Amino acid sequence: MKKRQINFTISGKFRNQMEVMRSFLIYQKWIKKNEKKDNDAIKKEIKKFKYKPKISIITPVYDVDPKWLKKCIESVKKQSYENWELCLYDDASTKKETVLCLKKTEGSDRRIKIAYGKINQHISGASNEALKMATGEFITLLDNDDELSPDALYENVKILNKHRKADFIYSDEDKLTLKGDRVDPFFKPDWSSDLFLSMMYTCHLGVYRKSIVDQIGGFRKGLEGSQDYDLVLRFIEKTDPKRIFHIPKILYHWRKIPGSTAHNQDSKGYAYIAAKQALADHLKHSNIQGRVLTETWRGIYRVKRDIQNSPKVSIIIPFKDQVSALKKCVESVIKKTTYQNYEIILVNNRSQKKETLDYIKKQQGKKKIRLLSYNKPFNFSAINNFAASRAKGEYVLFLNNDTEVISKQWLESMLEHIQRKEVGAVGAKLLYKNRTIQHAGIIMGLGIASHAFRNVEEKNPGYFGLASVIRNYCAVTGACLMTKKDLFNKIGGFDEKHLAIAYNDVDFCLRLKERGFFVVYTPHAKLLHHESLSRNNESGIKSAEKRRRMRAEEKYMARKWKKYIENDPYYSPNLTRKSGDFGINILD
């Protein structure tokens, strides 16, 4: 199956050509910097491996140009790791030159197995026939016109020697032009269950424990075009996420041949219908109540979960003056929110202006609004902890007073995830007034931590669509963060002692992660954010004192969360730490 990656055009033909050339040159620099391989050292290391499992490479063949098939087979022969077998199954090719190429390959290497079908079974059936030939402990999938990097199998067996119980390993991938140039690298995050339900991001190179593949019955007919996605969706139902590993290296090269999805995203529309069916079946198998929606961009999906019962949400909005912003925020919640079982808790932190005090008086007694007064010096963590302890809702949503609701079903979009027992926090997509992204998740290691896709246009789906899908992060911003009230209290809320001003949201999310909870970002809860209006103008802390305290908080975070700052599992080490635009790391 061809990976349904997302290719997005830039307005203006010339601008597009310039951007393509720039991206190409940057990637060539990355290759030169990062792919210096010592073959002798690799061979010495392989000799020391205590575990050398056979890997069966599954390759269905159909009417492929012999030129590409030869390159595909040669890429397997060039593998540093030698305990492999290549299972080639010809699916009744109509082109004589394809069959002749296979005939000439017979006997060239004892590890190459070739079988010929008399009736065309399409990709799923042909893959199953190739699977019947496999005798390895693990299998991997290779399309008949693609190539493996020489160290592909070595890198996987290296992981298996460290993690003998691994069931599923995937790597990064790129594409090959017809001229042989490498382009469009996809540097992936480590395992993200929510991202996988949004798109088939693991794809190539995937290595799977064969006993599980056999257990689930191999590939399903009728889901051609998304048969790999379907296979992995059923595969992960039989394994533990702790047995899934990611190799952040380019080990697979996917050739951009005219007519393939690598070349044209719309060339195989049936693939997206099949993917939607595969996801729907996975929801049923996993007892997930909901439905699968097709998103605007090809290859991206939304699993929309049903909300169980109608739990109350306490929306906590701290403020100090800035009444015009507060009014906009509260009015947007009341006027635009379709979900109705909520309360708004307005927390007054020493407001002094007459217009603010007048506004507070007008809110008294209103049905959905409660007023609290926090008459102590500004401490963002303490203010929110104080309000959360008095919340009546099963869930609490921390909301900055400088935000405005855009999407009417924003609460439902967050509730559908926070209701899941495995989820600890949910964050939203926040936009600046000019409709560029302010927050689409938080990346660790941009300084201490910073926002993903900041300043990217809202209509831009981001790097391989990642700004526009439900996915996991280490943290999301407290400007709009929903969590379970009981869980919030159980782990001690926000850190009042060490993080009074900043990073309290990041710290909270990381503590959730350490306890095994997921942090989910959803682009379907969308708000405007007039960033830091409240913190900069309301805190009452003098600039010099604020800078001193911020430096202290940064040092605290750097010490406490060093491992995530140095290695964010949801952000590739091959991407830049200079900004959150997911650019390739060539200078860091």
Side-chain angles (χ1 to χ4, degrees):
M1 182 192 84
K2 293 300 183 183
K3 174 72 174 71
R4 295 169 300 286
Q5 294 178 354
I6 317 301
N7 295 322
F8 304 104
T9 58
I10 302 171
S11 59
K13 184 176 181 180
F14 178 74
R15 183 183 173 193
N16 187 46
Q17 290 173 341
M18 292 295 290
E19 183 60 30
V20 169
M21 179 55 68
R22 179 178 174 274
S23 298
F24 172 75
L25 293 175
I26 289 173
Y27 185 38
Q28 303 318 301
K29 288 182 180 179
W30 182 91
I31 292 171
K32 187 175 181 180
K33 177 183 175 182
N34 292 277
E35 293 192 352
K36 297 175 182 178
K37 298 169 184 176
D38 187 334
N39 292 326
D40 290 336
I42 289 174
K43 289 180 180 179
K44 287 180 181 179
E45 186 175 3
I46 290 172
K47 287 182 179 180
K48 294 179 181 179
F49 284 165
K50 293 182 179 180
Y51 180 46
K52 297 180 181 180
K54 181 189 288 185
I55 298 179
S56 299
I57 302 164
I58 305 302
T59 304
V61 178
Y62 182 73
D63 280 356
V64 63
D65 189 320
K67 174 171 58 176
W68 308 131
L69 180 56
K70 287 177 183 177
K71 287 183 176 292
C72 174
I73 294 170
E74 283 302 312
S75 77
V76 177
K77 288 183 175 181
K78 291 177 182 177
Q79 290 300 301
S80 302
Y81 182 76
E82 297 181 344
N83 191 15
W84 54 263
E85 64 179 3
L86 175 59
C87 304
L88 295 159
Y89 179 82
D90 181 70
D91 193 26
S93 290
T94 61
K95 292 183 179 179
K96 294 180 179 179
E97 57 268 32
T98 301
V99 177
L100 183 60
C101 181
L102 288 173
K103 293 289 185 182
K104 289 181 178 179
T105 302
E106 291 179 359
S108 63
D109 191 305
R110 60 178 178 78
R111 296 168 295 181
I112 297 177
K113 300 177 177 180
I114 305 175
Y116 302 88
K118 295 181 179 180
I119 301 174
N120 182 264
Q121 299 188 56
H122 302 291
I123 186 71
S124 296
S127 296
N128 282 334
E129 293 297 332
L131 190 59
K132 291 176 183 178
M133 302 159 64
T135 60
E137 192 173 344
F138 293 87
I139 68 158
T140 189
L141 312 178
L142 174 62
D143 288 340
N144 60 189
D145 47 10
D146 295 344
E147 297 180 29
L148 301 179
S149 68
D151 57 341
L153 300 185
Y154 151 73
E155 290 288 353
N156 279 274
V157 176
K158 185 177 179 180
I159 289 289
L160 288 168
N161 272 269
K162 293 179 181 178
H163 305 282
R164 290 286 290 271
K165 292 184 178 180
D167 287 332
F168 171 25
I169 307 170
Y170 66 96
S171 74
D172 298 345
E173 61 189 283
D174 64 12
K175 299 193 184 92
L176 283 173
T177 68
L178 296 183
K179 293 181 180 179
D181 293 325
R182 289 172 57 186
V183 298
D184 302 339
F186 186 12
F187 294 119
K188 308 169 186 177
D190 288 350
W191 179 248
S192 171
S193 57
D194 283 285
L195 178 58
F196 193 73
L197 295 187
S198 300
M199 60 191 294
M200 194 341 182
Y201 80 94
T202 60
C203 204
H204 296 304
L205 180 71
V207 172
Y208 313 92
R209 188 173 292 277
K210 185 175 181 292
S211 59
I212 297 178
V213 175
D214 291 339
Q215 180 185 353
I216 63 177
F219 298 88
R220 284 202 297 169
K221 292 185 178 181
L223 293 174
E224 283 74 17
S226 288
Q227 72 286 335
D228 293 11
Y229 197 9
D230 173 66
L231 179 83
V232 183
L233 284 166
R234 289 182 290 119
F235 189 100
I236 62 175
E237 294 168 10
K238 303 297 182 181
T239 190
D240 190 307
K242 293 178 181 178
R243 296 189 176 192
I244 301 174
F245 294 86
H246 168 226
I247 301 172
K249 296 182 179 182
I250 302 285
L251 301 182
Y252 192 98
H253 312 300
W254 175 25
R255 199 176 305 280
K256 297 174 71 171
I257 292 177
S260 71
T261 49
H263 183 266
N264 179 0
Q265 199 65 19
D266 295 318
S267 64
K268 295 182 179 179
Y270 60 88
Y272 309 112
I273 297 172
K276 192 174 178 181
Q277 181 61 53
L279 281 164
D281 290 345
H282 175 72
L283 298 189
K284 185 177 180 180
H285 300 158
S286 304
N287 197 29
I288 297 173
Q289 304 300 312
R291 61 192 188 278
V292 182
L293 304 179
T294 304
E295 294 293 77
T296 305
W297 300 283
R298 291 287 198 175
I300 288 180
Y301 309 91
R302 178 188 180 185
V303 172
K304 193 174 190 305
R305 299 166 189 260
D306 297 337
I307 293 174
Q308 306 302 316
N309 303 315
S310 182
K312 174 169 276 192
V313 179
S314 296
I315 303 172
I316 296 172
I317 308 176
F319 67 95
K320 179 180 180 181
D321 292 314
Q322 297 294 338
V323 71
S324 60
L326 179 62
K327 282 181 181 178
K328 285 182 181 179
C329 178
V330 173
E331 287 176 7
S332 73
V333 172
I334 293 172
K335 291 180 179 179
K336 295 183 179 180
T337 303
T338 53
Y339 187 82
Q340 287 301 300
N341 193 12
Y342 69 84
E343 64 172 353
I344 298 175
I345 302 176
L346 299 179
V347 192
N348 179 18
N349 182 212
R350 293 181 167 180
S351 293
Q352 297 176 340
K353 295 181 179 180
K354 182 180 182 300
E355 55 265 37
T356 306
L357 300 178
D358 289 343
Y359 176 76
I360 292 171
K361 287 180 182 179
K362 290 179 181 179
Q363 306 314 304
Q364 291 177 348
K366 287 191 176 181
K367 186 176 180 181
K368 288 184 178 293
I369 296 178
R370 293 171 57 204
L371 296 166
L372 297 177
S373 181
Y374 185 83
N375 192 24
K376 295 180 182 180
F378 176 80
N379 181 317
F380 184 82
S381 295
I383 293 169
N384 281 289
N385 289 347
F386 165 78
S389 68
R390 289 155 177 78
K392 296 179 180 179
E394 182 180 347
Y395 302 105
V396 291
L397 186 143
F398 301 100
L399 187 66
N400 276 21
N401 63 325
D402 55 356
T403 57
E404 293 180 54
V405 174
I406 298 174
S407 55
K408 293 183 178 181
Q409 293 193 344
W410 69 296
L411 275 187
E412 292 97 326
S413 297
M414 300 180 82
L415 261 175
E416 66 176 286
H417 296 290
I418 198 59
Q419 70 180 357
R420 297 158 53 192
K421 63 180 182 180
E422 70 272 19
V423 174
V426 181
K429 188 173 193 175
L430 304 182
L431 305 174
Y432 290 117
K433 193 173 182 179
N434 66 359
R435 295 289 177 151
T436 60
I437 295 172
Q438 188 263 344
H439 169 272
I442 288 177
I443 299 169
M444 302 301 298
L446 301 186
I448 298 297
S450 191
H451 295 182
F453 299 107
R454 188 193 290 268
N455 296 319
V456 171
E457 292 182 3
E458 178 193 1
K459 293 181 180 179
N460 186 335
Y463 182 72
F464 287 93
L466 295 181
S468 303
V469 295
I470 297 166
R471 58 167 301 193
N472 304 110
Y473 278 104
C474 283
V476 290
T477 180
C480 182
L481 184 155
M482 186 181 286
T483 189
K484 298 172 172 72
K485 180 185 174 182
D486 289 347
L487 180 60
F488 183 78
N489 292 332
K490 185 177 181 180
I491 71 169
F494 294 125
D495 188 339
E496 301 177 17
K497 180 179 179 182
H498 301 101
L499 301 170
I501 301 174
Y503 302 119
N504 28 60
D505 46 6
V506 177
D507 174 77
F508 172 69
C509 288
L510 290 174
R511 282 186 280 134
L512 287 171
K513 180 171 174 51
E514 288 285 282
R515 288 164 174 78
F517 292 96
F518 292 141
V519 175
V520 175
Y521 156 75
T522 175
H524 305 291
K526 196 180 300 182
L527 300 89
L528 284 180
H529 187 200
H530 307 287
E531 187 189 19
S532 296
L533 182 72
S534 55
R535 291 185 184 182
N536 287 338
N537 298 331
E538 295 180 16
S539 65
I541 303 171
K542 292 183 179 180
S543 296
E545 172 64 10
K546 183 176 180 180
R547 286 196 296 270
R548 186 193 68 78
R549 289 170 63 175
M550 286 284 288
R551 285 195 295 269
E553 292 182 357
E554 287 177 1
K555 289 179 180 179
Y556 174 77
M557 289 291 290
R559 290 192 305 269
K560 183 176 182 181
W561 300 115
K562 181 180 178 182
K563 71 175 182 178
Y564 290 114
I565 292 169
E566 292 182 349
N567 181 29
D568 184 333
Y570 299 115
Y571 186 75
S572 172
N574 298 309
L575 297 175
T576 183
R577 260 42 180 196
K578 300 298 183 184
S579 70
D581 64 357
F582 286 65
I584 297 175
N585 179 1
I586 58 173
L587 298 174
D588 296 7

